[in-house]
Amino acid sequence: MRKLLKLSGLLSLILILTVRCSNDKDAYFLRPGWLEPPIYDVLKEKGHFTNYLKCVDKTLYSSVLQGAGLYTVFAPNDSAFNVFLTKNGYNSIADIPDSTVEKIVSYSICYSTYTLDSLGVRGGYKYKTQYYALPYRDAEFNNEWVVDQTMENGWTTAYNNYKFLPTFTNAFFSSNTPALTAADYNVFFPNVTFNGKNVQGGQILNADMRAENGIVHEVSTVNLPLNNISDIIKKPEFSLYRSLVDAKDNYGDYLFRTYLDINSPTMLKAIQKIMPKENIDRVFIKFYTGLNYSLNLENVLDESGKYTPEKSGYTMIVPTNDALTEYMNLRVLKYYADAQSLPSDIVQTLIMAHMVPSLVWPANYASSVNGNGDYLNGEGNTGKQFSQSGISGATLASNGFVYHSSKAISSRIFESVYSELFINPAHKWANIGFVNNFNSSLREDLQKCSLNGFMSERYTLITFDDQLLKDDGFSYNSTDNTFSHSVSGVNANNRLTRLLREHVFEGLQNNEVKSEISDFATTGISNEDNWNFTVTSYGDPVRYKNNQMQAAGNIEDNSYVNLT
């Protein structure tokens, strides 16, 4: 009997301990009273995010905002939605298409947590959202399924085409050199007050609302994902410039746009998972080549070649059709009937004159150069400022800036002495000779002018047609890009490079030196039969008068080079 009592007592003790341990364990895992509610509940408790939560409830992000994780939500209040509904002709949230609702919600949710004080620090001003661009049918490519590149010349699931939400804060503006001001924001949003805590086209009204799974910033506008540069320049007023970007070769293939067939089963399956209802069986990656940057790349490359979409961006200054037509007629179409007749290198140069592979703010406009290395203002730091640029408007792109301009951007290759060799088809061989032998030396020298910061340098160039080279015995093989000569033992390239340099004369034009040759008819030294004397780029002395020139060999055989 005593043993039974002892056993019964032991069992009771074990039971008490087990119950107590169970209670302690439950208490340990209870939600702490000091913990903030999840983002969804924070918004619900505030009471003026009703429309935003209705949108959230129509998506899968309802569980995201109620679950684990760390997010920053830029939540538009009910007033913002009322403006959005009216502007777009909707009576209620129910009228907004599901695809638009998905964009609104996913674009408002950023990865990780950012307090107001941390926005714009360390050079970043854009924040990765949950939204990314989906594959689409491209009407400009046989209506095939296309996905925009996510990395240079390719696509990978490691990046996707995530859109980044831009913020414009005092911290970011003051970190730039020169510092940015309200004018740098208002060029994109002229009707919005810059207060140092702007998000896209609106403002943060109430910041740093803490939640269990992140932070909420109340914003004054409903923000939608921005278009990229490639999409923005499809506007009718930019159709001429766009036609250059979309130029095709004689075979009907795009010169600067590439569509790469995805033949990797793994990549194809990854894309099919993104849009399972579409039965996609073939997809092409779209990207741009041969230009300063790819117009549809969201994962922006900085100037060092690193992917830094949160900090970096591209700039395009697009002239109106009238402005570009005027410039082309003046500088580019001298030897061609229309834009469709232009060689690809001329088209490429004209396009890149309006491209900058970095962000050009109004504050740094005067010091910015285009993709050809020319100052946008044609003069440099001391030249015209942004307000004098002819830029009449701007559009903020997801991957940079697009400025609308009433003027075309000048390029030195169209306006320096070298332009005649570059655009005149009769001088094609001379241009090839300069490219092959002096591309980064004498060819660049012949393009020195105020557009690329050289104010005093002057060059005089005597041009000669390809026919004269043919008459001399030259021939050109385009397959291997080489010249040959009909005379045995003559090194064609050596002879060509000497001929090119013999027709270049260097000079200066400033307050101290005036050595530019501007006229070969000038009367020279009286006791030298009025001849002028100078030295060619090759180093040979020559003399000239009455638009005639002689080198040593010409003097010996009593012949003249007639200059017209």
Side-chain angles (χ1 to χ4, degrees):
M1 183 66 178
R2 190 175 295 174
K3 290 182 179 180
L4 288 174
L5 287 174
K6 286 182 179 180
L7 182 59
S8 175
L10 180 60
L11 291 173
S12 298
L13 180 60
I14 292 172
L15 181 61
I16 291 170
L17 291 172
T18 302
V19 171
R20 183 174 179 180
C21 288
S22 178
N23 290 338
D24 289 345
K25 184 178 180 181
D26 291 342
Y28 180 82
F29 285 103
L30 283 176
R31 178 188 179 87
W34 49 264
L35 190 62
E36 300 287 354
I39 291 173
Y40 188 97
D41 293 347
V42 168
L43 294 169
K44 188 174 182 179
E45 288 174 8
K46 293 295 180 182
H48 55 280
F49 296 100
T50 306
N51 288 323
Y52 178 70
L53 290 178
K54 286 181 180 178
C55 288
V56 171
D57 289 339
K58 295 178 71 174
T59 70
L60 297 176
Y61 291 101
S62 176
S63 59
V64 172
L65 298 187
Q66 296 179 70
L70 288 174
Y71 306 100
T72 299
V73 176
F74 294 88
N77 58 28
D78 286 339
S79 296
F81 266 98
N82 290 337
V83 173
F84 177 82
L85 293 172
T86 301
K87 181 180 178 181
N88 292 280
Y90 303 130
N91 293 319
S92 67
I93 297 298
D95 296 329
I96 305 176
D98 290 344
S99 59
T100 303
V101 170
E102 183 80 15
K103 290 179 181 179
I104 291 171
V105 176
S106 58
Y107 191 58
S108 70
I109 304 172
C110 297
Y111 289 92
S112 194
T113 56
Y114 300 97
T115 62
L116 177 60
D117 289 343
S118 68
L119 293 176
V121 300
R122 292 188 292 276
Y125 77 103
K126 296 185 292 183
Y127 296 89
K128 183 179 177 181
T129 71
Q130 296 273 332
Y131 177 79
Y132 54 86
L134 299 172
Y136 58 94
R137 288 195 179 275
D138 193 341
E140 297 175 342
F141 188 63
N142 302 321
N143 215 36
E144 296 280 2
W145 280 105
V146 167
V147 62
D148 288 334
Q149 66 184 127
T150 59
M151 57 186 296
E152 195 170 24
N153 302 338
W155 185 90
T156 172
T157 54
Y159 293 117
N160 271 332
N161 281 301
Y162 285 102
K163 297 282 187 176
F164 287 69
L165 182 68
T167 65
F168 304 89
T169 63
N170 288 326
F172 174 68
F173 272 35
S174 62
S175 69
N176 280 264
T177 303
L180 306 182
T181 68
D184 294 279
Y185 174 76
N186 290 130
V187 70
F188 301 105
F189 303 104
N191 299 318
V192 181
T193 300
F194 175 74
N195 65 354
K197 47 182 181 179
N198 296 77
V199 178
Q200 205 154 299
Q203 301 174 336
I204 295 177
L205 302 176
N206 184 15
D208 299 342
M209 291 180 278
R210 303 278 179 171
E212 175 189 355
N213 52 351
I215 289 177
V216 178
H217 301 298
E218 178 184 351
V219 295
S220 63
T221 52
V222 175
N223 296 307
L224 285 170
L226 297 168
N227 290 324
N228 60 39
I229 293 174
S230 177
D231 294 327
I232 291 172
I233 66 171
K234 290 179 181 179
K235 294 180 179 180
E237 60 265 36
F238 304 144
S239 60
L240 180 55
Y241 184 78
R242 177 75 190 195
S243 70
L244 298 176
V245 175
D246 290 341
K248 296 182 178 180
D249 61 20
N250 293 332
Y251 301 99
D253 296 323
Y254 288 104
L255 291 175
F256 310 110
R257 196 197 304 180
T258 298
Y259 292 90
L260 183 64
D261 196 353
I262 293 179
N263 51 26
S264 165
T266 303
M267 292 175 64
L268 182 59
K269 285 181 180 179
I271 291 175
Q272 290 169 337
K273 286 181 180 180
I274 295 174
M275 301 177 69
K277 297 180 181 179
E278 296 294 342
N279 297 318
I280 299 174
D281 58 1
R282 189 180 188 186
V283 185
F284 294 83
I285 303 170
K286 175 184 174 182
F287 54 92
Y288 291 82
T289 58
L291 301 175
N292 296 118
Y293 54 79
S294 185
L295 282 62
N296 66 335
L297 180 61
E298 301 286 352
N299 192 26
V300 179
L301 286 163
D302 66 16
E303 293 181 274
S304 69
K306 295 181 180 179
Y307 293 106
T308 55
E310 69 283 352
K311 296 181 179 181
S312 305
Y314 307 127
T315 300
M316 181 170 282
I317 301 175
V318 188
T320 62
N321 292 339
D322 289 344
L324 187 55
T325 297
E326 180 181 358
Y327 185 80
M328 290 176 66
N329 287 337
L330 179 65
R331 296 291 183 184
V332 183
L333 293 176
K334 184 177 179 181
Y335 302 102
Y336 302 93
D338 50 41
Q340 288 70 39
S341 308
L342 291 170
S344 60
D345 56 346
I346 294 180
V347 176
Q348 179 189 45
T349 302
L350 187 57
I351 293 171
M352 295 197 303
H354 299 83
M355 300 177 72
V356 183
S358 60
L359 293 175
V360 177
W361 301 87
N364 66 357
Y365 169 80
S367 62
S368 297
V369 296
N370 64 18
N372 296 325
D374 307 309
Y375 283 110
L376 296 178
N377 66 357
E379 300 168 86
N381 281 317
T382 59
K384 294 178 181 178
Q385 301 300 305
F386 184 83
S387 60
Q388 304 165 296
S389 65
I391 291 174
S392 57
T395 302
L396 184 65
S398 59
N399 57 346
F401 303 155
V402 176
Y403 290 108
H404 323 149
S405 179
S406 60
K407 298 179 182 178
I409 303 297
S410 300
S411 184
R412 68 187 188 280
I413 202 166
F414 295 128
E415 306 204 17
S416 61
V417 296
Y418 192 81
S419 65
E420 185 66 15
L421 294 183
F422 185 62
I423 66 174
N424 191 340
H427 304 317
K428 181 179 179 180
W429 283 10
N431 182 43
I432 293 172
F434 272 106
V435 171
N436 288 353
N437 298 283
F438 308 112
N439 196 42
S440 58
S441 53
L442 186 56
R443 186 173 186 262
E444 279 295 313
D445 290 340
L446 292 174
Q447 297 174 52
K448 287 180 177 178
C449 60
S450 62
L451 290 172
N452 56 341
F454 295 93
M455 310 305 291
S456 300
E457 285 77 359
R458 296 290 189 273
Y459 290 86
T460 302
L461 174 66
I462 299 175
T463 60
F464 46 85
D465 292 353
D466 293 351
Q467 187 58 51
L468 289 178
L469 290 175
K470 293 176 183 178
D471 294 344
D472 185 79
F474 282 94
S475 59
Y476 175 69
N477 187 333
S478 60
T479 303
D480 60 5
N481 188 29
T482 58
F483 287 92
S484 57
H485 201 277
S486 59
V487 176
S488 177
V490 172
N491 185 307
N493 199 59
N494 288 348
R495 180 169 176 77
L496 178 61
T497 55
R498 177 169 182 171
L499 283 172
L500 294 175
R501 292 183 64 186
E502 291 281 28
H503 290 75
V504 175
F505 303 90
E506 302 173 13
L508 290 173
Q509 189 76 15
N510 54 42
N511 293 332
E512 299 177 353
V513 180
K514 300 185 187 313
S515 60
E516 177 185 13
I517 301 175
S518 58
D519 186 357
F520 286 103
T522 304
T523 300
I525 304 171
S526 58
N527 60 356
E528 292 290 343
D529 197 20
N530 293 324
W531 284 101
N532 297 278
F533 295 87
T534 189
V535 178
T536 69
S537 173
Y538 190 78
D540 286 342
V542 296
R543 66 182 187 179
Y544 64 90
K545 69 176 181 179
N546 301 327
N547 288 321
Q548 289 185 318
M549 180 175 288
Q550 287 183 312
N554 300 111
I555 296 174
E556 186 176 338
D557 60 19
N558 197 31
S559 63
Y560 298 87
V561 176
N562 293 307
L563 307 173
T564 58

